[in-house]
Amino acid sequence: MSYAQRKQMSSNRVMSIIIVALLHVLLGYALISGLAMKAVKETVEDLQTFDVEEEPPPPPEEPPPPPENIPESPPPVVTPPPLVRTNVLPPPQVTTTNVAPPVAPPAPPAPPPPPPPPRTVEPAKARANLASYVSNDDYPQDAIRNEQQGTTGFRLDVGPDGRVTNCTVTSSSGSSSLDSTTCRLMRSRARFTPATDSNGNRTSDSVSGRIRWQLPEE
């Protein structure tokens, strides 16, 4: 067999195979399409169609009949409960009291001064000259040694009995020895007629005087 014949035989075989394959494809398609159409027809035949009727709406409700004419009775009189008044206590008020410092009680009034003594009508009088109660023998020895001399002024308090109760030096002589000697001698030696008041009673009085001290001559 020649090469050309072998080549032609191969081509014919290929064409045969292709044709056979196409036939198989067509048969398969026809088979599948027929089965599918049959299944669809059976399914459609099995389905039963029916019309759904809608229910009519219910009739409207009739309004209730009007109530019969019943005479209206007045409402019963109800006595209100008695009012109970409760005493509401007001809130406590807090008051602050300013405590003042303690005030010392006022001092009692001073007692009234004693009535003034009756006015002296007759003053006390010395029974002798006051200088006569002093002599050179009374000159203090220390004042003589110190050559002290001078005038001592004094005031004598005279009691109702005419005696000297006190002596006060009103002006000094410059020597304490001469001043103290003057008062000592007046208290011990001077005598007075007591003073009398307006009622004629004896009373106290004061008398002033002066004593000059001069060194005695040798």
Side-chain angles (χ1 to χ4, degrees):
M1 182 178 295
S2 61
Y3 174 77
Q5 291 178 348
R6 287 197 302 269
K7 185 176 182 181
Q8 185 176 1
M9 288 178 65
S10 297
S11 298
N12 293 333
R13 186 179 293 178
V14 170
M15 288 298 294
S16 298
I17 293 171
I18 292 172
I19 292 169
V20 171
L22 289 174
L23 290 175
H24 280 82
V25 170
L26 291 175
L27 290 175
Y29 177 75
L31 181 60
I32 292 172
S33 299
L35 292 176
M37 288 299 293
K38 185 179 180 179
V40 170
K41 287 180 180 182
E42 289 179 358
T43 303
V44 171
E45 289 177 357
D46 290 339
L47 291 176
Q48 294 180 0
T49 60
F50 57 91
D51 296 333
V52 178
E53 295 181 0
E54 295 182 0
E55 294 183 0
E61 295 182 359
E62 296 181 359
E68 297 179 359
N69 294 331
I70 300 174
E72 296 181 358
S73 59
V77 178
V78 179
T79 305
L83 295 176
V84 179
R85 296 185 179 180
T86 57
N87 295 328
V88 179
L89 296 178
Q93 296 181 356
V94 179
T95 58
T96 57
T97 304
N98 295 328
V99 179
V103 180
R119 185 172 59 88
T120 301
V121 177
E122 290 291 337
K125 295 179 180 180
R127 295 181 181 178
N129 188 357
L130 295 179
S132 64
Y133 294 116
V134 180
S135 65
N136 289 335
D137 296 336
D138 299 319
Y139 214 106
Q141 292 300 317
D142 57 342
I144 293 174
R145 288 192 302 269
N146 296 325
E147 296 182 352
Q148 295 176 346
Q149 60 182 2
T151 302
T152 301
F154 56 88
R155 183 181 69 250
L156 303 177
D157 295 334
V158 181
D161 57 354
R163 291 181 175 273
V164 177
T165 58
N166 189 32
C167 175
T168 304
V169 176
T170 56
S171 61
S172 176
S173 62
S175 171
S176 59
S177 179
L178 294 176
D179 295 340
S180 60
T181 300
T182 300
C183 280
R184 179 176 59 81
L185 294 175
M186 291 295 109
R187 283 195 299 269
S188 62
R189 298 178 182 177
R191 296 292 181 270
F192 293 85
T193 301
T196 56
D197 58 20
S198 57
N199 296 327
N201 299 321
R202 292 182 177 184
T203 184
S204 301
D205 197 5
S206 62
V207 177
S208 297
R210 299 169 67 87
I211 296 294
R212 178 172 176 75
W213 294 90
Q214 190 172 3
L215 291 172
E217 295 178 359
E218 294 182 357

